[in-house]
Amino acid sequence: MSLCIYHNPRCSKSRDTLALLEEKGLAPNIIKYLETPPDAGQISQLLSLLGMSSARQLMRTKEAVYKELELAEVHDEQALINAMVANPKLIERPIVVNGKQAALGRPPEQVLDIL
């Protein structure tokens, strides 16, 4: 896997992270994950690369759909992953992947550790 960013152009942190990469002279593959959502396998891989022990760590728990689906009550990891596949708005962003490493761009400077 080459350098890529799971990007939402409407998100300021995502835009800032992409700008930071470009300032470093990098041209990541931009994945607009709301248009092209990752599948369950890709989300599982991202969780592993990010060192997260639970899918919930990658979820935007303040999104309305999180509450609507009552995901706070769900404890099955595969069900949480499936919820992110079906509702990519639940996926925290941006995620930068560089080979076998990944980082969440919150704050954007956090991705510098994997470059």
Side-chain angles (χ1 to χ4, degrees), residues 28-42:
N29 178 31
I30 299 170
I31 301 168
K32 294 182 180 176
Y33 70 93
L34 293 177
E35 297 171 13
T36 310
D39 62 28
Q42 290 168 317

Side-chain angles (χ1 to χ4, degrees), residues 13 15-16 18 24 28 31-33 37 41 44-46 53 59 65 69 79 82-83 86 100 103 105 108 110:
K13 295 289 185 206
R15 289 191 310 268
D16 291 348
L18 179 56
K24 297 286 181 189
I31 301 168
K32 294 182 180 176
Y33 70 93
S44 293
Q45 182 181 23
L46 288 171
S53 59
M59 297 182 93
V65 69
L69 296 175
N82 291 342
K100 296 186 184 268
Q110 193 164 290

Side-chain angles (χ1 to χ4, degrees), residues 26 70 78:
L26 302 170
E70 299 178 352
Q78 192 59 51

